[in-house]
Amino acid sequence: MLLIGVGTGLFLTPNTTEIMSSVPEQSRGVANGLRSMLYNLGQVLSTALSLTIVGAALPAHLKNVLYSGKNNVISAVDFAFVIHGYRWVIIALIGTSLLALAASWFRPQQKKAYESSSAAS
């Protein structure tokens, strides 16, 4: 939880600042609404993907435990199945994060269109 909090804090504020500063003032409300929707969509999809990966390798009786949300007592062998699934989730999330970082790092840089128009006036 600490890593998620620190990562979100380090990413969200500069990302929002960059998005809002690259949009003309009259469009910032729409841009912020779209940014917020995409952020929430990412959270929902990552949760669904994580549960899908964890549940994929589980036996049928453990899938019911996973999706019920109840704190059932399970055997050590069953617990090992669940931990193995979470390891795959962590690998998938780290891989996705690294791919997103690479895509962001190598994207073409563009001059901000509104900067040149405001400098001309």
Side-chain angles (χ1 to χ4, degrees):
M1 294 301 285
L2 177 69
L3 290 175
I4 291 171
V6 169
T8 301
L10 289 173
F11 170 78
L12 204 54
T13 302
N15 186 42
T16 301
T17 301
E18 183 63 27
I19 290 170
M20 291 300 109
S21 67
S22 68
V23 176
E25 272 187 48
Q26 64 272 17
S27 301
R28 287 188 180 157
V30 172
N32 193 46
L34 181 63
R35 181 204 59 80
S36 179
M37 182 204 59
L38 290 173
Y39 177 76
N40 290 330
L41 180 66
Q43 286 183 323
V44 168
L45 289 178
S46 67
T47 300
L49 179 64
S50 296
L51 284 174
T52 301
I53 292 171
V54 169
L58 293 179
H61 72 281
L62 281 180
K63 288 181 184 181
N64 294 334
V65 172
L66 180 68
Y67 295 119
S68 72
K70 295 179 182 174
N71 189 10
N72 293 344
V73 177
I74 59 176
S75 71
V77 173
D78 290 344
F79 187 70
F81 275 118
V82 174
I83 294 300
H84 180 71
Y86 277 109
R87 286 185 183 132
W88 279 108
V89 167
I90 291 171
I91 290 169
L93 292 177
I94 289 172
T96 304
S97 297
L98 292 175
L99 285 173
L101 183 63
S104 178
W105 186 266
F106 294 114
R107 76 179 186 278
Q109 297 295 319
Q110 299 175 359
K111 275 196 160 185
K112 296 177 183 171
Y114 75 93
E115 284 179 355
S116 57
S117 65
S118 64
S121 44

